[in-house]
Amino acid sequence: MAAEGEAQTASQYIQHHLQPWQVHWDLSPAHQTAIVDFSVINLDSVIYSLLIGVIGCFVLWRAARKATSGVPGRFQAAVEFLVEMVANQVKDTISVEKSRKLIAPLALTLFVWIFLLNAMDLLPVDLLPWLWAKFYGAIGGDPAHAYMRAVPTADLSVTLGMSISVLILCFFYSLKIKGLGGWTHELLTAPFGMSKNPIFAIILAVANLFMQIVEYLSKTVSHGMRLFGNMYAGELVFMLIALMGGAWAWSPVEAGFWLGIGHVIAGFAWAAFHILIITLQAFIFMTLAVIYLGQAHDHH
């Protein structure tokens, strides 16, 4: 937020909203200077991710506790539909029943958690940053340096953290289902096969291992980047609509009227369309996670 009495330009407004609340591990203020910097934590993303995760677990717990065997209410019916949809998708993808007992709840948790994280984008753009700036100023800080991003899935470190977690689970199930020898054999023989000639066998083994590494890396990066890119773009659109409202407030009456109408219509239309986006992105991330875990169970 700009200091009191000082107006921000559109560029400054967007840059401020895209700056996360960054601290070091000792919670001292920090600023990321490299693409990868493990000494810096985006504290707002961590706080909102944990808070929304607890809320999601609480909602599902309440649904399970209040479930009845009779005619279900709307909330119970919606949760039962969601659970059944996820269970059927996991069953169609993964043949090992023991694995489904863990992967099905994991997939359900991913969908609910990511949907709720994405839904933070539907809050007014300036609401949480404004509240945080007021509080930060009240405790003696400079409101101009009160950074707060409310959409964790618009933070690449969050989405890549999720996709890397899925990758680790893929490694786990590859070892569990195929064994160390079987998985090693797969890494060295797929997709180009093997040769009886020792020289060609070594060449093919190196090529196969390189292709396997590329495949794992590309799946993990695209898995996280897809969710991040869509939510980041949605966040930017909401900021542009908010800037339209700001221009409305400072424009002459004649021009301001049309800017105000455009602000209301664009905000409503994008929010309505964004409900589809946040749901679809949660579903896509969950589906890809299930598919990748299913591939870890397949033998080549």
PDB file of all heavy atoms in Angstrom, residues 23-45:
ATOM      1  N   VAL A  23      10.038 -13.580   4.478  1.00  0.00           N
ATOM      2  CA  VAL A  23      10.879 -13.552   5.678  1.00  0.00           C
ATOM      3  C   VAL A  23      11.931 -14.653   5.570  1.00  0.00           C
ATOM      4  O   VAL A  23      11.794 -15.591   4.783  1.00  0.00           O
ATOM      5  CB  VAL A  23      10.043 -13.763   6.970  1.00  0.00           C
ATOM      6  CG1 VAL A  23       9.022 -12.646   7.152  1.00  0.00           C
ATOM      7  CG2 VAL A  23       9.356 -15.125   6.952  1.00  0.00           C
ATOM      8  N   HIS A  24      12.978 -14.515   6.388  1.00  0.00           N
ATOM      9  CA  HIS A  24      13.959 -15.588   6.529  1.00  0.00           C
ATOM     10  C   HIS A  24      13.417 -16.616   7.524  1.00  0.00           C
ATOM     11  O   HIS A  24      12.353 -16.439   8.114  1.00  0.00           O
ATOM     12  CB  HIS A  24      15.303 -15.026   7.007  1.00  0.00           C
ATOM     13  CG  HIS A  24      16.009 -14.196   5.988  1.00  0.00           C
ATOM     14  ND1 HIS A  24      16.455 -14.711   4.787  1.00  0.00           N
ATOM     15  CD2 HIS A  24      16.344 -12.868   5.987  1.00  0.00           C
ATOM     16  CE1 HIS A  24      17.040 -13.759   4.089  1.00  0.00           C
ATOM     17  NE2 HIS A  24      16.988 -12.631   4.785  1.00  0.00           N
ATOM     18  N   TRP A  25      14.186 -17.682   7.718  1.00  0.00           N
ATOM     19  CA  TRP A  25      13.744 -18.739   8.626  1.00  0.00           C
ATOM     20  C   TRP A  25      13.591 -18.244  10.058  1.00  0.00           C
ATOM     21  O   TRP A  25      12.810 -18.793  10.833  1.00  0.00           O
ATOM     22  CB  TRP A  25      14.734 -19.912   8.577  1.00  0.00           C
ATOM     23  CG  TRP A  25      14.675 -20.655   7.288  1.00  0.00           C
ATOM     24  CD1 TRP A  25      15.499 -20.480   6.205  1.00  0.00           C
ATOM     25  CD2 TRP A  25      13.741 -21.650   6.896  1.00  0.00           C
ATOM     26  NE1 TRP A  25      15.137 -21.311   5.167  1.00  0.00           N
ATOM     27  CE2 TRP A  25      14.054 -22.061   5.573  1.00  0.00           C
ATOM     28  CE3 TRP A  25      12.665 -22.258   7.530  1.00  0.00           C
ATOM     29  CZ2 TRP A  25      13.324 -23.016   4.888  1.00  0.00           C
ATOM     30  CZ3 TRP A  25      11.941 -23.231   6.843  1.00  0.00           C
ATOM     31  CH2 TRP A  25      12.277 -23.596   5.548  1.00  0.00           C
ATOM     32  N   ASP A  26      14.319 -17.182  10.425  1.00  0.00           N
ATOM     33  CA  ASP A  26      14.180 -16.611  11.762  1.00  0.00           C
ATOM     34  C   ASP A  26      13.104 -15.538  11.821  1.00  0.00           C
ATOM     35  O   ASP A  26      13.011 -14.794  12.809  1.00  0.00           O
ATOM     36  CB  ASP A  26      15.519 -16.040  12.235  1.00  0.00           C
ATOM     37  CG  ASP A  26      16.032 -14.930  11.304  1.00  0.00           C
ATOM     38  OD1 ASP A  26      15.363 -14.642  10.286  1.00  0.00           O
ATOM     39  OD2 ASP A  26      17.093 -14.356  11.600  1.00  0.00           O
ATOM     40  N   LEU A  27      12.283 -15.439  10.739  1.00  0.00           N
ATOM     41  CA  LEU A  27      11.164 -14.502  10.624  1.00  0.00           C
ATOM     42  C   LEU A  27      11.602 -13.049  10.473  1.00  0.00           C
ATOM     43  O   LEU A  27      10.771 -12.130  10.590  1.00  0.00           O
ATOM     44  CB  LEU A  27      10.203 -14.625  11.818  1.00  0.00           C
ATOM     45  CG  LEU A  27       9.535 -16.001  12.008  1.00  0.00           C
ATOM     46  CD1 LEU A  27       8.536 -15.949  13.149  1.00  0.00           C
ATOM     47  CD2 LEU A  27       8.850 -16.458  10.718  1.00  0.00           C
ATOM     48  N   SER A  28      12.879 -12.800  10.212  1.00  0.00           N
ATOM     49  CA  SER A  28      13.327 -11.449   9.911  1.00  0.00           C
ATOM     50  C   SER A  28      12.946 -11.105   8.470  1.00  0.00           C
ATOM     51  O   SER A  28      12.855 -11.994   7.618  1.00  0.00           O
ATOM     52  CB  SER A  28      14.838 -11.342  10.092  1.00  0.00           C
ATOM     53  OG  SER A  28      15.516 -12.226   9.201  1.00  0.00           O
ATOM     54  N   PRO A  29      12.690  -9.825   8.163  1.00  0.00           N
ATOM     55  CA  PRO A  29      12.277  -9.438   6.804  1.00  0.00           C
ATOM     56  C   PRO A  29      13.299  -9.875   5.758  1.00  0.00           C
ATOM     57  O   PRO A  29      14.508  -9.853   5.998  1.00  0.00           O
ATOM     58  CB  PRO A  29      12.180  -7.909   6.891  1.00  0.00           C
ATOM     59  CG  PRO A  29      11.941  -7.625   8.340  1.00  0.00           C
ATOM     60  CD  PRO A  29      12.723  -8.677   9.084  1.00  0.00           C
ATOM     61  N   ALA A  30      12.796 -10.270   4.600  1.00  0.00           N
ATOM     62  CA  ALA A  30      13.681 -10.752   3.532  1.00  0.00           C
ATOM     63  C   ALA A  30      13.135 -10.309   2.190  1.00  0.00           C
ATOM     64  O   ALA A  30      11.973  -9.904   2.066  1.00  0.00           O
ATOM     65  CB  ALA A  30      13.801 -12.272   3.575  1.00  0.00           C
ATOM     66  N   HIS A  31      13.981 -10.398   1.195  1.00  0.00           N
ATOM     67  CA  HIS A  31      13.567 -10.112  -0.179  1.00  0.00           C
ATOM     68  C   HIS A  31      14.297 -11.073  -1.106  1.00  0.00           C
ATOM     69  O   HIS A  31      15.532 -11.142  -1.095  1.00  0.00           O
ATOM     70  CB  HIS A  31      13.877  -8.671  -0.563  1.00  0.00           C
ATOM     71  CG  HIS A  31      13.399  -8.310  -1.943  1.00  0.00           C
ATOM     72  ND1 HIS A  31      12.060  -8.172  -2.251  1.00  0.00           N
ATOM     73  CD2 HIS A  31      14.077  -8.094  -3.088  1.00  0.00           C
ATOM     74  CE1 HIS A  31      11.937  -7.857  -3.524  1.00  0.00           C
ATOM     75  NE2 HIS A  31      13.147  -7.817  -4.066  1.00  0.00           N
ATOM     76  N   GLN A  32      13.551 -11.824  -1.870  1.00  0.00           N
ATOM     77  CA  GLN A  32      14.141 -12.835  -2.750  1.00  0.00           C
ATOM     78  C   GLN A  32      14.898 -12.171  -3.886  1.00  0.00           C
ATOM     79  O   GLN A  32      14.376 -11.298  -4.580  1.00  0.00           O
ATOM     80  CB  GLN A  32      13.037 -13.734  -3.310  1.00  0.00           C
ATOM     81  CG  GLN A  32      13.552 -14.913  -4.115  1.00  0.00           C
ATOM     82  CD  GLN A  32      12.434 -15.874  -4.475  1.00  0.00           C
ATOM     83  OE1 GLN A  32      11.375 -15.858  -3.875  1.00  0.00           O
ATOM     84  NE2 GLN A  32      12.682 -16.711  -5.465  1.00  0.00           N
ATOM     85  N   THR A  33      16.144 -12.572  -4.078  1.00  0.00           N
ATOM     86  CA  THR A  33      16.987 -11.984  -5.121  1.00  0.00           C
ATOM     87  C   THR A  33      17.333 -12.975  -6.221  1.00  0.00           C
ATOM     88  O   THR A  33      17.959 -12.598  -7.206  1.00  0.00           O
ATOM     89  CB  THR A  33      18.287 -11.443  -4.509  1.00  0.00           C
ATOM     90  OG1 THR A  33      18.965 -12.504  -3.821  1.00  0.00           O
ATOM     91  CG2 THR A  33      17.988 -10.313  -3.530  1.00  0.00           C
ATOM     92  N   ALA A  34      16.951 -14.229  -6.059  1.00  0.00           N
ATOM     93  CA  ALA A  34      17.230 -15.257  -7.062  1.00  0.00           C
ATOM     94  C   ALA A  34      15.967 -16.060  -7.333  1.00  0.00           C
ATOM     95  O   ALA A  34      15.019 -16.044  -6.538  1.00  0.00           O
ATOM     96  CB  ALA A  34      18.356 -16.177  -6.592  1.00  0.00           C
ATOM     97  N   ILE A  35      15.940 -16.745  -8.460  1.00  0.00           N
ATOM     98  CA  ILE A  35      14.764 -17.545  -8.811  1.00  0.00           C
ATOM     99  C   ILE A  35      14.529 -18.627  -7.765  1.00  0.00           C
ATOM    100  O   ILE A  35      13.396 -18.884  -7.359  1.00  0.00           O
ATOM    101  CB  ILE A  35      14.939 -18.170 -10.215  1.00  0.00           C
ATOM    102  CG1 ILE A  35      15.019 -17.067 -11.269  1.00  0.00           C
ATOM    103  CG2 ILE A  35      13.782 -19.119 -10.528  1.00  0.00           C
ATOM    104  CD1 ILE A  35      15.256 -17.580 -12.666  1.00  0.00           C
ATOM    105  N   VAL A  36      15.603 -19.262  -7.318  1.00  0.00           N
ATOM    106  CA  VAL A  36      15.523 -20.273  -6.266  1.00  0.00           C
ATOM    107  C   VAL A  36      16.301 -19.775  -5.060  1.00  0.00           C
ATOM    108  O   VAL A  36      17.511 -19.545  -5.146  1.00  0.00           O
ATOM    109  CB  VAL A  36      16.090 -21.630  -6.741  1.00  0.00           C
ATOM    110  CG1 VAL A  36      16.015 -22.646  -5.619  1.00  0.00           C
ATOM    111  CG2 VAL A  36      15.331 -22.125  -7.967  1.00  0.00           C
ATOM    112  N   ASP A  37      15.612 -19.559  -3.957  1.00  0.00           N
ATOM    113  CA  ASP A  37      16.249 -19.070  -2.738  1.00  0.00           C
ATOM    114  C   ASP A  37      15.565 -19.736  -1.550  1.00  0.00           C
ATOM    115  O   ASP A  37      14.508 -19.311  -1.105  1.00  0.00           O
ATOM    116  CB  ASP A  37      16.131 -17.545  -2.645  1.00  0.00           C
ATOM    117  CG  ASP A  37      16.971 -16.970  -1.509  1.00  0.00           C
ATOM    118  OD1 ASP A  37      17.469 -17.766  -0.685  1.00  0.00           O
ATOM    119  OD2 ASP A  37      17.121 -15.731  -1.445  1.00  0.00           O
ATOM    120  N   PHE A  38      16.184 -20.806  -1.032  1.00  0.00           N
ATOM    121  CA  PHE A  38      15.578 -21.574   0.049  1.00  0.00           C
ATOM    122  C   PHE A  38      15.711 -20.890   1.410  1.00  0.00           C
ATOM    123  O   PHE A  38      15.176 -21.386   2.396  1.00  0.00           O
ATOM    124  CB  PHE A  38      16.201 -22.972   0.112  1.00  0.00           C
ATOM    125  CG  PHE A  38      15.861 -23.836  -1.070  1.00  0.00           C
ATOM    126  CD1 PHE A  38      16.817 -24.129  -2.024  1.00  0.00           C
ATOM    127  CD2 PHE A  38      14.575 -24.338  -1.233  1.00  0.00           C
ATOM    128  CE1 PHE A  38      16.510 -24.919  -3.118  1.00  0.00           C
ATOM    129  CE2 PHE A  38      14.258 -25.128  -2.328  1.00  0.00           C
ATOM    130  CZ  PHE A  38      15.225 -25.419  -3.281  1.00  0.00           C
ATOM    131  N   SER A  39      16.410 -19.755   1.462  1.00  0.00           N
ATOM    132  CA  SER A  39      16.517 -19.022   2.715  1.00  0.00           C
ATOM    133  C   SER A  39      15.336 -18.091   2.938  1.00  0.00           C
ATOM    134  O   SER A  39      15.213 -17.492   4.003  1.00  0.00           O
ATOM    135  CB  SER A  39      17.818 -18.203   2.738  1.00  0.00           C
ATOM    136  OG  SER A  39      17.779 -17.158   1.771  1.00  0.00           O
ATOM    137  N   VAL A  40      14.468 -17.964   1.922  1.00  0.00           N
ATOM    138  CA  VAL A  40      13.328 -17.043   1.986  1.00  0.00           C
ATOM    139  C   VAL A  40      12.034 -17.836   2.027  1.00  0.00           C
ATOM    140  O   VAL A  40      11.865 -18.809   1.282  1.00  0.00           O
ATOM    141  CB  VAL A  40      13.335 -16.080   0.789  1.00  0.00           C
ATOM    142  CG1 VAL A  40      12.092 -15.204   0.795  1.00  0.00           C
ATOM    143  CG2 VAL A  40      14.583 -15.213   0.805  1.00  0.00           C
ATOM    144  N   ILE A  41      11.119 -17.429   2.891  1.00  0.00           N
ATOM    145  CA  ILE A  41       9.797 -18.059   3.000  1.00  0.00           C
ATOM    146  C   ILE A  41       8.731 -17.036   2.657  1.00  0.00           C
ATOM    147  O   ILE A  41       8.764 -15.909   3.157  1.00  0.00           O
ATOM    148  CB  ILE A  41       9.549 -18.576   4.435  1.00  0.00           C
ATOM    149  CG1 ILE A  41      10.646 -19.538   4.860  1.00  0.00           C
ATOM    150  CG2 ILE A  41       8.179 -19.249   4.533  1.00  0.00           C
ATOM    151  CD1 ILE A  41      10.567 -19.934   6.325  1.00  0.00           C
ATOM    152  N   ASN A  42       7.796 -17.419   1.795  1.00  0.00           N
ATOM    153  CA  ASN A  42       6.620 -16.591   1.540  1.00  0.00           C
ATOM    154  C   ASN A  42       5.612 -16.880   2.656  1.00  0.00           C
ATOM    155  O   ASN A  42       4.789 -17.783   2.550  1.00  0.00           O
ATOM    156  CB  ASN A  42       6.040 -16.890   0.168  1.00  0.00           C
ATOM    157  CG  ASN A  42       6.962 -16.457  -0.954  1.00  0.00           C
ATOM    158  OD1 ASN A  42       7.900 -15.687  -0.753  1.00  0.00           O
ATOM    159  ND2 ASN A  42       6.703 -16.942  -2.150  1.00  0.00           N
ATOM    160  N   LEU A  43       5.684 -16.082   3.711  1.00  0.00           N
ATOM    161  CA  LEU A  43       4.941 -16.395   4.926  1.00  0.00           C
ATOM    162  C   LEU A  43       3.436 -16.318   4.720  1.00  0.00           C
ATOM    163  O   LEU A  43       2.684 -17.104   5.315  1.00  0.00           O
ATOM    164  CB  LEU A  43       5.370 -15.445   6.055  1.00  0.00           C
ATOM    165  CG  LEU A  43       4.945 -15.831   7.472  1.00  0.00           C
ATOM    166  CD1 LEU A  43       5.472 -17.208   7.835  1.00  0.00           C
ATOM    167  CD2 LEU A  43       5.445 -14.801   8.479  1.00  0.00           C
ATOM    168  N   ASP A  44       2.968 -15.405   3.876  1.00  0.00           N
ATOM    169  CA  ASP A  44       1.530 -15.312   3.639  1.00  0.00           C
ATOM    170  C   ASP A  44       0.998 -16.573   2.973  1.00  0.00           C
ATOM    171  O   ASP A  44      -0.077 -17.073   3.329  1.00  0.00           O
ATOM    172  CB  ASP A  44       1.179 -14.076   2.817  1.00  0.00           C
ATOM    173  CG  ASP A  44       2.140 -13.826   1.666  1.00  0.00           C
ATOM    174  OD1 ASP A  44       2.962 -14.727   1.374  1.00  0.00           O
ATOM    175  OD2 ASP A  44       2.079 -12.748   1.058  1.00  0.00           O
ATOM    176  N   SER A  45       1.762 -17.135   2.040  1.00  0.00           N
ATOM    177  CA  SER A  45       1.333 -18.377   1.381  1.00  0.00           C
ATOM    178  C   SER A  45       1.267 -19.529   2.376  1.00  0.00           C
ATOM    179  O   SER A  45       0.339 -20.348   2.342  1.00  0.00           O
ATOM    180  CB  SER A  45       2.296 -18.730   0.240  1.00  0.00           C
ATOM    181  OG  SER A  45       2.248 -17.757  -0.782  1.00  0.00           O
TER     182      SER A  45
END
